[in-house]
Amino acid sequence: MSDGNGNPMGENQQFGPWPIADTEIFATSSLSYAFVNLKPIVPGHVLVSPKQVVPRFTDLTPSQVSDLWTLAQRVGRMLEVHYRVSSLTFAIQDGVEAGQSVPHVHLHVLPRVKGDFEPNDKVYDALDEGDVKRNLDEDRVARTADEMAAEAALYRPYFE
Ligand code: AMW
């Protein structure tokens, strides 16, 4: 199976210390991959990372930066179609003090709908690794591998 970029699927990736099964990956590019979230804060909250385990944004090469954001743009387009939305949040928490909890660069992409967070910028509290996030994390149950695979399967056809 190919991802539409001539890249074979089936190459499991590493997200910091965590292995990401290819069933949870729905798109890849030469240097990046897009995968579903263990604990999404809204439906369609997904992640895009470089294939190389690189902790900080500053440590990416220009090619990795370009490839990461290009894949994120394609993922955003897919989410707008799939969820019939016209707004997205793209966010990177870069470094522990910024709320980064997994030491591997990852770009959050979220479909946004009117009223999903009130006030609107509360989305950043939810993404943040501060007390708010920790509370949310405790409330949110990690999804099963089957649930995550089912979501990834919905998105994969957009990239074929
Ligand atoms: W950070 O607070 O580091 O900006 O965001 C980490 C993100 O990674 C969170 O959205 C969290 O739900 C997600 N996450 C953590 N572990 C995994 C995993 N094994 N698979 C998918 N997503 C994960």
Side-chain angles (χ1 to χ4, degrees):
M1 186 171 36
S2 147
D3 68 349
N5 290 308
N7 300 307
M9 300 293 284
E11 36 167 344
N12 290 0
Q13 300 292 339
Q14 196 69 22
F15 179 41
W18 316 112
I20 301 297
D22 67 289
T23 51
E24 292 161 20
I25 297 169
F26 57 88
T28 64
S29 55
S30 57
L31 301 176
S32 311
Y33 69 103
F35 58 114
V36 297
N37 200 317
L38 184 66
K39 296 180 175 182
I41 64 170
V42 294
H45 172 197
V46 298
L47 301 168
V48 186
S49 279
K51 290 178 178 175
Q52 187 185 1
V53 179
V54 175
R56 293 292 314 282
F57 190 72
T58 190
D59 296 326
L60 297 177
T61 65
S63 298
Q64 286 174 313
V65 171
S66 169
D67 190 84
L68 182 78
W69 279 102
T70 300
L71 183 58
Q73 183 187 48
R74 295 177 64 205
V75 167
R77 285 194 189 115
M78 177 278 288
L79 292 174
E80 290 203 23
V81 173
H82 189 80
Y83 287 96
R84 296 188 167 87
V85 300
S86 55
S87 299
L88 300 166
T89 291
F90 293 87
I92 298 179
Q93 305 201 105
D94 184 33
V96 173
E97 284 73 23
Q100 183 177 4
S101 61
V102 179
H104 183 166
V105 174
H106 51 282
L107 212 162
H108 298 256
V109 190
L110 295 81
R112 297 297 310 275
V113 296
K114 194 171 174 57
D116 53 2
F117 293 91
E118 293 283 1
N120 199 35
D121 285 356
K122 273 273 181 198
V123 66
Y124 298 108
D125 290 339
L127 285 172
D128 189 31
E129 191 50 33
D131 290 343
V132 175
K133 172 72 179 298
R134 271 195 284 275
N135 290 341
L136 276 175
D137 269 342
E138 283 162 14
D139 291 347
R140 286 187 284 136
V141 177
R143 299 193 298 165
T144 65
D146 282 351
E147 286 173 308
M148 295 170 77
E151 183 188 356
L154 294 175
Y155 304 154
R156 211 169 283 127
Y158 291 93
F159 298 91
E160 288 170 353

